[in-house]
Amino acid sequence: GSGSAVDHTDIELELRDLRAELLVGSYGVNALETVTAVVETGAVLVYVRDAGSGNRAAYALTVELTPSP
């Protein structure tokens, strides 16, 4: 879909720490949501959320890791 509320494909993407504290989020209404963050070694949580319009979006999640020098 377009990523808009009109066609019920609007989702939100969030990166959170293990305490579920928000590190960074993307809340646009485009077909592509992207978040970028520098994080410490360990685990993080990725939340893909319905933007609140009864959405039914299918999505693919792609993760790119870049080790620090």
Side-chain angles (χ1 to χ4, degrees), residues 2-10 29 53 55:
S2 68
S4 71
V6 173
D7 64 2
H8 298 281
T9 59
D10 187 18
V29 289
S53 306
N55 295 316

Side-chain angles (χ1 to χ4, degrees), residues 23 34 40 46 51-52:
L23 300 172
T34 303
E40 297 294 324
V46 177

Side-chain angles (χ1 to χ4, degrees), residues 4-17:
S4 71
V6 173
D7 64 2
H8 298 281
T9 59
D10 187 18
I11 59 171
E12 314 296 11
L13 182 62
E14 298 176 341
L15 186 64
R16 293 176 174 263
D17 66 16

Side-chain angles (χ1 to χ4, degrees), residues 10-39:
D10 187 18
I11 59 171
E12 314 296 11
L13 182 62
E14 298 176 341
L15 186 64
R16 293 176 174 263
D17 66 16
L18 290 179
R19 294 178 311 277
E21 298 288 330
L22 181 65
L23 300 172
V24 64
S26 179
Y27 308 102
V29 289
N30 300 313
L32 179 66
E33 299 281 346
T34 303
V35 294
T36 302
V38 176
V39 295

Side-chain angles (χ1 to χ4, degrees), residues 40-63:
E40 297 294 324
T41 301
V44 294
L45 304 171
V46 177
Y47 283 29
V48 179
R49 298 180 174 274
D50 175 337
S53 306
N55 295 316
R56 54 186 176 272
Y59 62 89
L61 179 64
T62 303
V63 176

